[in-house]
Amino acid sequence: MITRKSAPELELMRAANGLVASVLAALRRLVAPGVSTLELDAVAERQVLEAGAVPAFKGYHGYPATLCASVNDAVVHGIPSATPLVEGDIVSIDMGVVLDGFYGDSAITVPVGQVPDRTTDLLRVTRESLDLAIEQMRVGGHVSDIGHAVQRHVEANGFAVVREFVGHGIGATLHEEPQIPNYGEPGRGPVLASGMVFAIEPMVTMGAPAVKVLDDRWTAVTRDGSLAAHFEHTVAVTDSGPRVLSQMSARDTAVETASREPASVPHG
Ligand code: MF3
Ligand code: CO
């Protein structure tokens, strides 16, 4: 069953996800050569607790940290470590929180200092694929339209989509139905209705899409060692179009649906 959130529930989810967005924005500014992901994790945990929220990943199936910090060929679920980041790395920072009973979940991939142009392309295309996926979050669309939009854009740019991990419904639990693959044919699966909230999270590789999990039992890395990028937003389907809950702006930057009525122009 796909839950549909009421307007007050969406406001609670907006608060939880707004917190995630503001912490990620702070972490993005801290990323630099010499900084470790364990240091980022400490900052994140302190900010989450100070906001009266609880880290969502810590303790989830035994996961040990507030952040997932996945460097270079790590795709997702990297465990924060004391190893300093170095110039040219990329790091995916993924964080979830619970605030007033509702979950927030979002991720960004950040370059460490200067990175090669092809790496910048990987980050840009992955981020663009998330935006294209978000545009599919419309009443009457199908769940599989989301992954189709990701796959089309990623493969058109010569990158590959990871199959082993998926996006998910989110609400009063971190992972709800449905699962949201980042590939597939359009027009399949459940029909989207207002109040549905999904965490959409394309995971994209520069080489082959296959991944494996390291001996730490969490970190998923590309089998071929190629770089991977990951961006995630929590997004609500509303009658006025997609509403990204996990972004900072006070305004709700709903992706525009059809063209709007122009504001009435006063005579004279
Ligand atoms: N954003 C990821 C997800 O929604 C992160 C989960 S990490 C875990 O699945 F530690 F909670 F498993
Ligand atoms: Co998620």
Side-chain angles (χ1 to χ4, degrees):
M1 184 200 58
I2 302 177
T3 62
R4 295 173 63 181
K5 282 73 179 177
S6 66
E9 287 172 335
L10 285 181
E11 287 317 302
L12 293 173
M13 293 203 69
R14 165 65 207 162
N17 282 284
L19 172 61
V20 174
S22 71
V23 175
L24 288 180
L27 297 176
R28 171 194 286 284
R29 289 192 294 272
L30 292 175
V31 168
V35 174
S36 77
T37 53
L38 205 54
E39 290 166 336
L40 298 176
D41 191 72
V43 170
E45 178 162 12
R46 181 169 46 75
Q47 292 193 2
V48 169
L49 295 175
E50 277 175 2
V54 175
F57 301 165
K58 199 168 189 172
Y60 182 88
H61 294 284
Y63 187 75
T66 294
L67 301 180
C68 294
S70 308
V71 178
N72 294 337
D73 61 327
V75 184
V76 287
H77 303 169
I79 299 172
S81 100
T83 306
L85 295 166
V86 301
E87 178 100 14
D89 283 347
I90 57 173
V91 56
S92 154
I93 305 172
D94 186 354
M95 191 179 79
V97 304
V98 201
L99 179 63
D100 295 331
F102 284 88
Y103 280 77
D105 188 7
S106 183
I108 54 177
T109 302
V110 182
V112 182
Q114 288 287 113
V115 300
D117 287 350
R118 189 66 181 152
T119 305
T120 303
D121 288 346
L122 174 71
L123 302 187
R124 176 181 52 78
V125 167
T126 307
R127 175 62 235 217
E128 287 169 352
S129 77
L130 174 57
D131 289 337
L132 291 166
I134 289 168
E135 285 182 21
Q136 306 304 314
M137 290 281 286
R138 297 183 181 285
V139 172
H142 287 78
V143 165
S144 79
D145 299 346
I146 298 167
H148 180 72
V150 171
Q151 183 179 22
R152 241 176 92 94
H153 188 62
V154 166
E155 293 181 353
N157 284 277
F159 299 120
V161 167
V162 170
R163 306 297 204 266
E164 287 90 337
F165 298 96
V166 296
H168 49 95
I170 180 170
T173 52
L174 177 61
H175 294 136
E176 299 185 354
E177 289 178 33
Q179 295 196 355
I180 305 170
N182 292 298
Y183 61 93
E185 295 299 317
R188 309 272 169 86
V191 174
L192 304 181
S194 63
M196 291 181 179
V197 183
F198 300 161
I200 305 175
E201 45 183 321
M203 288 149 266
V204 175
T205 67
M206 201 175 276
V211 305
K212 64 178 180 187
V213 175
L214 296 183
D215 286 340
D216 66 15
R217 297 171 19 115
W218 282 103
T219 312
V221 299
T222 58
R223 284 187 177 269
D224 65 4
S226 68
L227 294 179
H230 173 220
F231 287 83
E232 178 176 21
H233 266 313
T234 293
V235 184
V237 177
T238 80
D239 288 323
S240 51
R243 183 177 171 199
V244 179
L245 302 177
S246 51
Q247 62 190 3
M248 279 254 297
S249 73
R251 281 167 295 138
D252 296 322
T253 333
V255 177
E256 275 307 303
T257 8
S259 58
R260 284 209 182 158
E261 288 296 312
S264 62
V265 180
H267 290 282

